Amino acid sequence: MQYEAGSYDVIVVGAGHAGSEAGLAAARVGAKTLMLTINLDMVAFMPCNPSVGGPAKGIVVREIDALGGEMGRNIDKTHIQMRMLNTGKGPAVRALRAQADKFLYQHEMKRTIENQPNLTLRQGMVEQLIVEDDIVKGVITQTGAIYRAKTVVITTGTFLRGEIILGELKYSSGPNNQQPSIKLSEHLEELGFDLVRFKTGTPPRVNSSSIDYSKTEIQPGDDIPRAFSYETTKYITDQLPCWLTYTSLETHQIIDANLHRSPMYSGMIKGTGPRYCPSIEDKVVRFNDKPRHQIFLEPEGRNTQEVYVQGLSTSLPEDVQRKMLASIPGLENVEMMRAGYAIEYDAIVPTQLWPTLETKKVKNLYTAGQINGTSGYEEAAGQGLMAGINAGLRAIGKEEVILSRSDAYIGVLIDDLVTKGTNEPYRLLTSRAEYRLLLRHDNADMRLTEIGHKIGMISDERYERFLAKKAAVEAEKERLQSIILKPSEEVQSVIRENGGTELKDGIRAADLLKRPEMSYVHIQQLAPSEIELDDEVTEQVEIQIKYEGYIAKSLQQVDRLKKMENKRIPEDIDYDAIGSLATEARQKLKQVRPLSVAQASRISGVNPADVSILLVYLEQGKIARISQ
């Protein structure tokens, strides 16, 4: 029996990492929002690794925070360890990574959602969308509740027709033995969406008290207090270590001897798995020349004995998993608490989305997270944030937001998905970003706070602090440009101590800072500032001055790209009317329907000659349109 259950501006389906950000964002931009999830106890649950951040991903978390999202704040309150990675390398690849207390993380996120004005959290399984004239109008749940809305965001993760596979065992399930979503997946097919089958997996969890840590290497957190959020002022200092061990020759022999029982090799698993997070059996087969592989033992929280065996993702039978664990140094007598497993699920082909994450087939319907073919909590949260912002802004009649590839890693992620698509679970990497020197961990606020404030996600108070920081950076850069350091004994001594070449003439303090052996601390020693500047300001000053030439070159490339981005293509252009286009280019352009010439140039199968033909056609002005 169906019944009318309420009307909202935005409905978010799902409450994982994408759903949590989507619901909070839609509410924060001013839309009356409903979040529906299969199980209220699983809000922001971490079914896989208990961590947030890492290369590229950590910068996404900073970007989420700079736009007013929640993931950074939440992990800062609930982590058990924090480390800055790649500190010996340049600023473009540095990234923060935190080990989460996975239970505290989800409880804190649920509390935040429950206390967010404009946002209602409710348990319910959505089985159908209400679609009239290709426009979404609401959802219908398993219990017959009809919820009306101006926009809908689907963030169903790996629940769509989810199947868990463990050895010879296969059964219908969402992650962690949760109820899967079957009918919504079938309904999306009925609406004409193209779906693909992907696969991901988890390793076993073991009991900490049964690990012999003397045979492993300790991996402590950083002594320096660190945070993802620009708003964090209280730091967790009592950190828990992780531990490093390795697979052995015996481990590899056990895997080789049981490959015939592996669902990956028996043909039971049909879905495509993540290239950059392979199962241990895949690693052993593909890299059979390697004598061992790294295994990180990661605590799942302060109040549990469960330890996540990072690097041992597998779907081999349970008895084989036990033997594998016992062959690893430190785990000879380990107690396996949960077996690893693979999960197959449906995802939509992401080229069916506009850059706003609205679907092309159904107006006012948005999708975000693993349903779009990605892997990782951070990629999901970044999409959820943008889908929530755009669904909220659309619902209240305001202009949507699209981040470009030069604005943010989130922009790279979304552009890659909607322009190129993906034939495997997509993972964000620093190598995917052509402007990575501009998209750094340290400057996410400089890039995105303005946008966050404009759409109502960043408070006036926080925005004023940001403007003060920005002004302090510029003032200190100007000061260092104005100071001339003469070749005095003090100056020469500092340069000598750091292995530099002594001065022959006077030099601007800013130019001395550009030398690789000099840091801001040395300049401050020689030309102290009268104003005490905080570390965030001095970090920006040093990076902006040191890498000024490289940054200027990147900005020139961005300016050239913007000219292409500004050459807009009508959504309803008829590509069949452009006579000289290559057949493959025409097919791809019709499928993706790029919004700019720059986006068209990034589509696989669209060559520079096709782009030139398209430019000439657009400049002629007589554009043929497809009939609606």
Side-chain angles (χ1 to χ4, degrees), residues 479-497:
R479 186 183 79 86
L480 296 183
Q481 282 288 351
S482 68
I483 292 173
I484 305 293
L485 293 169
K486 295 180 179 175
S488 66
E489 180 49 38
E490 183 193 6
V491 171
Q492 304 288 43
S493 173
V494 170
I495 292 172
R496 278 197 307 271
E497 285 169 12

Side-chain angles (χ1 to χ4, degrees), residues 350-360 366-367 372 382-383 386-387 390 394 400-405 410-419 565 568 571 592-596 599-600 602:
T351 51
Q352 297 170 103
L353 306 173
W354 297 115
T356 57
L357 296 180
E358 182 187 17
T359 68
K360 295 171 183 173
Y366 299 74
T367 59
N372 288 347
Q383 291 173 73
M386 298 313 298
N390 287 331
R394 170 71 64 82
E400 292 172 278
V401 175
I402 296 173
L403 298 179
S404 75
R405 297 181 72 89
I410 297 173
V412 173
L413 162 68
I414 293 173
D415 183 68
D416 276 354
L417 289 174
V418 305
T419 304
E565 294 286 3
R568 309 299 287 174
E571 283 181 24
V592 175
R593 306 211 71 79
L595 297 179
S596 69
Q599 189 188 356
R602 293 190 292 270

Side-chain angles (χ1 to χ4, degrees), residues 39-102:
N39 186 348
L40 284 183
D41 297 329
M42 301 296 286
V43 171
F45 180 69
M46 294 180 162
C48 202
N49 55 312
S51 66
V52 166
K57 293 166 176 275
I59 300 173
V60 168
V61 181
R62 289 280 273 185
E63 292 173 350
I64 289 167
D65 182 74
L67 286 164
E70 198 60 33
M71 182 175 257
R73 280 192 289 244
N74 206 61
I75 190 63
D76 285 352
K77 289 184 279 187
T78 60
H79 68 269
I80 57 177
Q81 188 195 102
M82 192 81 81
R83 290 180 75 182
M84 182 66 81
L85 308 181
N86 300 328
T87 52
K89 298 181 181 178
V93 292
R94 288 175 204 154
L96 201 54
R97 185 178 188 269
Q99 288 298 133
D101 185 318
K102 64 186 287 184

Side-chain angles (χ1 to χ4, degrees), residues 550-625:
Y550 297 105
I551 290 169
K553 282 183 182 176
S554 291
L555 289 171
Q556 285 172 3
Q557 289 178 319
V558 170
D559 285 340
R560 285 197 293 272
L561 176 77
K562 278 184 178 167
K563 289 175 185 173
M564 296 267 278
E565 294 286 3
N566 291 335
K567 292 188 186 297
R568 309 299 287 174
I569 302 174
E571 283 181 24
D572 58 351
I573 187 172
D574 184 359
Y575 289 105
D576 288 328
I578 309 174
S580 307
L581 282 175
T583 303
E584 183 184 3
R586 192 189 313 280
Q587 289 169 347
K588 293 291 180 68
L589 288 164
K590 286 165 75 173
Q591 179 193 15
V592 175
R593 306 211 71 79
L595 297 179
S596 69
V597 173
Q599 189 188 356
S601 70
R602 293 190 292 270
I603 299 171
S604 174
V606 177
N607 297 318
D610 301 307
V611 174
S612 298
I613 291 164
L614 181 59
L615 273 168
V616 170
Y617 182 79
L618 291 170
E619 283 164 10
Q620 287 172 349
K622 295 177 182 177
I623 298 169
R625 315 279 177 145

Side-chain angles (χ1 to χ4, degrees), residues 42 159 164 171-180 338 341 343:
M42 301 296 286
F159 280 80
I164 282 181
Y171 57 94
S172 181
S173 176
N176 209 44
N177 288 324
Q178 290 297 299
Q179 194 176 354
R338 304 186 200 218
Y341 63 85
I343 184 167

